[in-house]
Amino acid sequence: MITALSSRPNALVALLAAGLALGSMTADADYRSDIGYTKLQQDLGGSIPDGTGVIVSQVEASQGGLAWLPDATNGEFIGKTIIDASNPGTGGISGHATAVGQAFYGTVTSMAPAITTISAYLAENWQSSGFLRVLVGPGGLQPKYSTSRINNHSVIWSNASGDAYVLRRTDWVVETDELIQVVAVNNGSGGSSTLPLLASAYNVIAVGLSNGLHDLGSVALDTTYIAGRTRPDIVAPASGTSIATPYVSAAAALLVELGNSNPGLSTDPVSVSITNRAGVLVRNAERSEVIKAALMAGADRVTHNSAPSPTNLGVYRGAVQNQTANGLDKRYGAGQLNVRNSYWIIAGGEQGSTEDGNVAANVSSRGFDYDPHFGGSNSTNATATYPLPIQAYPRLLTASLVWNLDIEGGTFASFDPAVTQVCNLARTLCNLNVSLIDLGNGDAVVASSASTNENTENLWVVIPANAQYALRVTRSGNDFDWDYGLAWQLLEDADADGAYDDQDNCINVANSEQIDSDNDGFGNLCDGDFNNNGFINAQDYVLFKAQIGQPSTPPIYNFADLNVNGFVNTQDYVLFRNLLGSPPGPSGLAP
């Protein structure tokens, strides 16, 4: 990320992120494959969303004076309208802004090439008169409103004594207008954050790097914006956070388009949409909490990224010092962006809790819920239960619960930056929790996420075969009526190792838990080419069928025991069926 430097008191302070030269501001060639986009293309073909109809904003610091604009003459921006939203006519061309724009909405580099309307802001102006209208202390006008749905911030800044007011106004526009703010954390060596960055806001989506070389955590500003919270929320494989951030912004644009263009995905019995201050219709499937929850629940916690960027995550939550109270890894947040997983979560549609009248026996394997009124007076509707489908083989559950911090906002002419949620004596963040319960065992808690200073809770749990489990949302503290977004997915995990089948490394057997019974270099789980002729076809099915019911004894496992559980049975058949027609190696399991 890039920022500008000013010695003026209380002025916008920007710092060129350590180790990030402008010459390296290019997208990584294979990033689409690494974050699931290539497989999503295979799933959807020509129907894949591309950002059509999504209006966005790009906030940039000045580079070399007053230069903050993407180069509108760049070939990737032909046919797009880039509006100079700060001091029109005075802004120069920024190489940084151009590279960020290519990754966000460029016709070649981006996953969202059909974004055509972009407002470009100078960061200092966006913070002040251009949008947030920050004053140090209460008072002043409310922030402006915009038809944009996503703001990309590949910049960091500090405003000295005004930092808390910047964060309050930023959190307010997210909650009030559903204006999604995707922000970079600072590049660094993986140490604690020392600058009060926009990433310390609660309602934003904070983005880091898959290699973990970025600042960690939040900065203490007051009793609301405290140190020690998990930042970033999510990571992406890139050379710097300036490029990782627009990768996530583009993914958010695809999800916003999906949610907006498919009204049937939003089905809450009380409210299916709002119209924000700019007159933009926002459906439940594209609300800020839902998009953030879907991105976090869909993220990969085991990665095998493409060369030449060695940006794989380290062992996720493997060490106690990396484990956070809200179920994440302090280095990587929810993990690495996987737009394919997140797409299918939103496409699964809104599915309410049992307490909200959902009479279905269970929710589906993928989906979300937006609850506009959770809690209620006198403890009504203070529990929300989502029974999960019973599976004949192990599944990996990932789930994320997200809610926003509420800022008063006051009136148009007098903005009030107070936190208004009366959830405890300190009048701070509402406290929600999520747990996995065993319905077949008296609702015993199997796993839970119950932090006290975060606004996301997250689960990553292997569910055994034939288990009757459910997700359950609860709340702590006083009575309150608030909203949340919950997203979940159940993915095939035949060997129950916490890496779903499509993540298991079938090529490099030595670096995974894969067994290679026929010594062809492919682990059993993703092989299926039993005669080693380079194809998985009917010939292999004949060989497989002959092994059904046969034993599989370690350490010499039966080649047809794909999940290496000591039996050749119907679970192996399910895995083999998904491999038919594919080359041997990592599977491309359809959702």
Side-chain angles (χ1 to χ4, degrees):
M1 78 206 53
I2 191 174
T3 54
L5 181 63
S6 173
S7 59
R8 289 173 292 167
N10 296 329
L12 184 70
V13 176
L15 306 171
L16 183 62
L20 180 60
L22 289 177
S24 67
M25 286 292 303
T26 57
D28 296 274
D30 296 310
Y31 86 94
R32 291 184 183 86
S33 175
D34 295 337
I35 64 173
Y37 180 76
T38 300
K39 286 184 177 177
L40 185 61
Q41 285 181 308
Q42 295 168 358
D43 295 341
L44 300 176
S47 64
I48 190 170
D50 54 11
T52 297
V54 181
I55 298 174
V56 303
S57 295
Q58 179 178 350
V59 181
E60 292 282 333
S62 60
Q63 177 188 344
L66 291 177
W68 68 84
L69 296 175
D71 184 358
T73 66
N74 185 283
E76 290 208 47
F77 303 148
I78 293 174
K80 301 181 186 296
T81 301
I82 300 177
I83 302 164
D84 181 357
S86 296
N87 305 320
T90 64
I93 302 304
S94 161
H96 183 275
T98 299
V100 170
Q102 288 172 320
F104 187 6
Y105 49 81
T107 55
V108 176
T109 306
S110 174
M111 297 180 294
I115 291 175
T116 58
T117 303
I118 305 99
S119 292
Y121 287 91
L122 172 65
E124 185 170 5
N125 178 262
W126 180 85
Q127 175 189 285
S128 56
S129 61
F131 191 80
L132 282 187
R133 293 167 161 167
V134 171
L135 288 178
V136 177
L141 300 175
Q142 286 181 346
K144 294 182 178 179
Y145 52 81
S146 168
T147 55
S148 291
R149 285 303 325 283
I150 301 166
N151 279 17
N152 184 89
H153 300 263
S154 289
V155 295
I156 61 172
W157 62 70
S158 169
N159 192 26
S161 60
D163 287 310
Y165 297 99
V166 172
L167 299 190
R168 277 172 163 73
R169 285 174 174 263
T170 300
D171 280 338
W172 186 83
V173 297
V174 175
E175 170 59 25
T176 302
D177 292 332
E178 301 290 346
L179 178 51
I180 298 166
Q181 308 286 324
V182 186
V183 308
V185 301
N186 195 23
N187 295 288
S189 60
S192 299
S193 181
T194 56
L195 289 173
L197 313 180
L198 201 60
S200 288
Y202 282 88
N203 301 346
V204 304
I205 301 172
V207 181
L209 297 171
S210 296
N211 60 16
L213 296 180
H214 49 250
D215 282 355
L216 305 177
S218 56
V219 176
L221 296 175
D222 55 27
T223 56
T224 299
Y225 295 94
I226 60 175
R229 293 172 44 238
T230 306
R231 319 310 282 146
D233 296 305
I234 196 168
V235 297
S239 55
T241 57
S242 282
I243 294 300
T245 303
Y247 289 170
V248 175
S249 292
L254 302 192
L255 302 185
V256 165
E257 179 192 348
L258 173 65
N260 185 267
S261 60
N262 293 273
L265 297 178
S266 303
T267 59
D268 183 84
V270 175
S271 174
V272 296
S273 66
I274 65 160
T275 299
N276 67 17
R277 291 186 301 155
V280 176
L281 178 70
V282 180
R283 306 188 194 278
N284 289 356
E286 52 171 326
R287 285 181 179 267
S288 58
E289 301 98 326
V290 171
I291 297 299
K292 185 174 179 178
L295 289 170
M296 295 179 72
D300 285 337
R301 298 183 174 189
V302 176
T303 59
H304 307 295
N305 290 329
S306 307
S309 299
T311 55
N312 288 310
L313 280 64
V315 176
Y316 191 92
R317 285 178 64 87
V320 173
Q321 62 266 29
N322 293 327
Q323 299 171 5
T324 68
N326 65 334
L328 303 180
D329 187 302
K330 75 172 187 178
R331 301 164 299 171
Y332 309 119
Q336 179 172 292
L337 172 69
N338 186 315
V339 66
R340 184 194 191 211
N341 286 344
S342 298
Y343 173 93
W344 288 113
I345 288 171
I346 299 296
E350 186 172 14
Q351 301 166 58
S353 66
T354 302
E355 291 81 356
D356 275 350
N358 188 346
V359 298
N362 53 259
V363 296
S364 62
S365 294
R366 291 180 175 91
F368 71 91
D369 186 31
Y370 173 76
D371 192 331
H373 295 288
F374 180 70
S377 61
N378 300 318
S379 298
T380 59
N381 192 28
T383 300
T385 306
Y386 302 83
L388 300 171
I390 300 173
Q391 304 289 337
Y393 42 89
R395 291 274 182 151
L396 174 66
L397 167 72
T398 61
S400 293
L401 172 68
V402 174
W403 65 100
N404 284 334
L405 174 73
D406 187 26
I407 303 297
E408 169 63 34
T411 65
F412 171 78
S414 182
F415 183 82
D416 184 350
V419 177
T420 62
Q421 293 166 323
V422 187
C423 300
N424 51 48
L425 294 178
R427 295 178 62 89
T428 56
L429 188 70
C430 289
N431 188 12
L432 304 181
N433 304 314
V434 66
S435 58
L436 180 67
I437 61 173
D438 187 347
L439 296 175
N441 186 27
D443 292 3
V445 176
V446 177
S448 66
S449 179
S451 63
T452 58
N453 62 350
E454 307 275 7
N455 63 323
T456 79
E457 303 288 359
N458 306 271
L459 295 175
W460 181 45
V461 184
V462 175
I463 295 181
N466 302 311
Q468 192 177 16
Y469 285 179
L471 286 169
R472 177 163 287 172
V473 177
T474 56
R475 60 120 191 251
S476 299
N478 302 338
D479 288 348
F480 60 85
D481 182 350
W482 197 231
D483 59 340
Y484 68 74
L486 175 69
W488 66 86
Q489 62 178 353
L490 287 167
L491 300 173
E492 295 179 357
D493 184 13
D495 56 359
D497 66 346
Y500 61 90
D501 294 348
D502 208 22
Q503 287 181 311
D504 274 306
N505 186 352
C506 308
I507 301 297
N508 190 355
V509 176
N511 290 337
S512 72
E513 298 179 14
Q514 294 291 310
I515 301 298
D516 182 15
S517 296
D518 55 2
N519 296 312
D520 65 349
F522 300 109
N524 282 21
L525 180 61
C526 301
D527 192 348
D529 181 18
F530 304 131
N531 59 6
N532 294 333
N533 68 350
F535 302 95
I536 302 173
N537 53 24
Q539 297 177 31
D540 300 295
Y541 175 68
V542 172
L543 296 173
F544 174 81
K545 187 176 180 181
Q547 299 301 314
I548 292 179
Q550 296 300 308
S552 179
T553 306
I556 309 300
Y557 286 88
N558 189 308
F559 67 85
D561 183 9
L562 298 186
N563 60 5
V564 199
N565 68 349
F567 304 94
V568 181
N569 54 21
T570 55
Q571 294 182 28
D572 301 297
Y573 172 72
V574 171
L575 297 172
F576 177 74
R577 181 191 63 197
N578 284 313
L579 295 171
L580 272 172
S582 302
S587 63
L589 302 179

